[in-house]
Amino acid sequence: MPRTIYLPFDQLHRDFGGLKGADPARDQILMIESSGMLASRKWHPVRLHFLLSSARHFADELRLEGFTVHYLSEPSIESGLAKFHQEGNPVIAAEPSSFSQFQRLQKLGVHFIENDFFLTPRPLFHKWAAGQKTFLMENFYRAQRKRLNILMESDQPVGGLWNFDKENRLPPPKKYEWKPYFSHARDDIDHKVAKELGISIDETWATTRAGALAQLEYFVEVHLPSFGPYEDAMTTENWALHHSLLSPYLNNGLLHPQEVVNAAIRKFDAGEVPIESIEGFVRQIIGWREYINGMYWFLGDDYRNQNHLAATKTLLPLFTDPAKTKMNCMKENISDIKERAWVHHIPRLMILSNLALLTGTNPQEFLDWMRESFIDAADWVMVPNVIGMGVHADGGKMMTKPYAAGGAYISRMSNYCKGCAYDPKLRTGDHACPFTTLYWDFLDRHRETFVKNHRMRQQYSGLDRLSDLPEVRLRAQEVLKGLSSGEI
Ligand code: SF4
């Protein structure tokens, strides 16, 4: 019986999802470029280019293998799929990666098979989460280490600790020679997609399986040994530090997490990676990534609409235009995002989300911006990361306290403050760091919500010791006004 396998653009792997066990003699492939989806948001052109070019390359690889690939340009996924249904073809697909796709394909009668692009099946995560009082990632991560038998010596963690976080919080080093970036040569497909989008492209991101594998090999060889200690650091001297830059490929299927973990562990087993680096990296892949995807499905589709702190401010102009701020940390990060659609997890959480949280920016507006701006921003990534972790809009369902921080944290973990118009130590006056002012003002404004939270005791005793709280409140109003008008 011939089968039509529908292949979404985030499931581009020959051995997983819909293509697992697929046979060119029996199966045909359906891929759909939806003009409606492309025009539905202000997607970052780098993101669009990456997704489209990867899909077109992948379609060609399947053709080379002997598959018939129907690569359609359609107004919508629905219209493309309807054509195949009209012809009486049963269509199968791996379970989609987002609620909206799931519902749309279900309505169209697509037959689902398991989505195995993660190491944790959705029912298994659900079982874990349903048994938890608080959804501590660390507990999930330890269970993952045991279940998957990664970095374990019988039932104990390799190196004697589950977590080397303490070793992995170094600020950027001084006079350090950063290793070069890996670059990806462009081909005709890349150029054609760029032309259609009306953009020019650099060599940052691969758009093929071979390129993604080369990036993995380069990371493991060159950057992994130093990944851990500087994974939270931020610097104007280097945009990637020792980060893997693998998330786009993991999220569009060009790489599978098992392949990534295996490559990293092989290097560790060869004695070439210190424990703090391998542990920090493994935690990102089998811990955080799986946890965020699991929580997305566990918390449900409506979770994205939460706004427990009643945050109503519209998105600040600096998020779309770095010229609209004098804050060096924001300017640097927004410029980096404009260039490559990527900054690492700490600027995302402790700078971008932190500012949205402290300013009371509407969570859904901020979520939309995050979804549109990053190359790897799948719905399942961004909804829990923004609503739960970033802006604490879920009333603490996911995290027991908000990730709110003043300028001191950014000053400690980066070199941004040296070139800034503001001073991270000041909370009042024209040169006060907006983060510092707004941090205290945030604690003050939300005292009732957080004062009884035992994890925030220290922060509130700090607030209670402030002798200039009335001035801080006044300065906070000026800062909010200045940020809205693009003058701060
Ligand atoms: Fe950012 Fe404040 Fe530092 Fe300026 S002083 S770079 S605004 S943290």
Side-chain angles (χ1 to χ4, degrees), residues 326-330 406-407 410-411 416-417 420-424 433-436:
K326 290 187 275 194
M327 298 167 73
N328 203 36
C329 52
M330 289 303 296
I410 299 167
S411 172
Y416 295 140
C417 302
C420 188
Y422 303 107
D423 182 339
C433 165
F435 274 110
T436 306

Side-chain angles (χ1 to χ4, degrees), residues 224-433:
L224 177 60
S226 314
F227 168 79
Y230 302 121
E231 69 173 305
D232 286 2
M234 301 170 279
T235 173
T236 52
E237 287 166 13
N238 189 288
W239 65 270
L241 293 93
H242 290 300
H243 284 267
S244 70
L245 306 180
L246 295 175
S247 57
Y249 317 119
L250 282 162
N251 293 0
N252 81 342
L254 286 178
L255 293 177
H256 190 276
Q258 190 67 59
E259 297 174 312
V260 171
V261 170
N262 289 350
I265 293 289
R266 269 198 302 276
K267 189 80 176 161
F268 173 71
D269 286 345
E272 294 170 40
V273 184
I275 183 68
E276 63 272 19
S277 282
I278 190 70
E279 190 283 314
F281 185 67
V282 160
R283 179 147 32 96
Q284 294 294 332
I285 305 295
I286 72 165
W288 279 113
R289 185 170 186 275
E290 299 280 321
Y291 170 82
I292 289 293
N293 181 60
M295 289 304 287
Y296 173 81
W297 291 100
F298 180 75
L299 292 165
D301 196 13
D302 197 38
Y303 180 76
R304 72 183 64 238
N305 300 317
Q306 311 253 318
N307 187 0
H308 270 263
L309 295 177
T312 54
K313 204 167 180 56
T314 55
L315 193 76
L316 298 172
L318 57 74
F319 280 106
T320 46
D321 182 358
K324 291 275 197 291
T325 184
K326 290 187 275 194
M327 298 167 73
N328 203 36
C329 52
M330 289 303 296
K331 209 183 254 304
E332 287 283 341
N333 277 287
I334 300 296
S335 303
D336 275 2
I337 293 167
K338 284 213 164 287
E339 202 171 332
R340 303 176 201 90
W342 186 91
V343 292
H344 73 74
H345 64 280
I346 294 298
R348 292 189 201 200
L349 182 65
M350 301 308 292
I351 294 186
L352 306 170
S353 301
N354 189 20
L355 189 66
L357 170 73
L358 299 183
T359 52
T361 298
N362 176 263
Q364 286 68 41
E365 270 196 49
F366 182 62
L367 173 61
D368 282 347
W369 179 78
M370 292 285 279
R371 283 272 285 121
E372 289 157 13
S373 303
F374 286 93
I375 189 166
D376 52 11
D379 199 50
W380 65 264
V381 176
M382 283 303 174
V383 172
N385 263 314
V386 169
I387 300 295
M389 286 185 74
V391 297
H392 206 78
D394 65 349
K397 226 176 250 166
M398 220 171 111
M399 298 291 142
T400 47
K401 68 173 199 163
Y403 276 91
Y409 174 85
I410 299 167
S411 172
R412 188 167 65 248
M413 293 306 296
S414 78
N415 68 350
Y416 295 140
C417 302
K418 284 199 183 82
C420 188
Y422 303 107
D423 182 339
K425 291 196 272 316
L426 299 179
R427 55 183 174 264
T428 57
D430 289 349
H431 295 292
C433 165

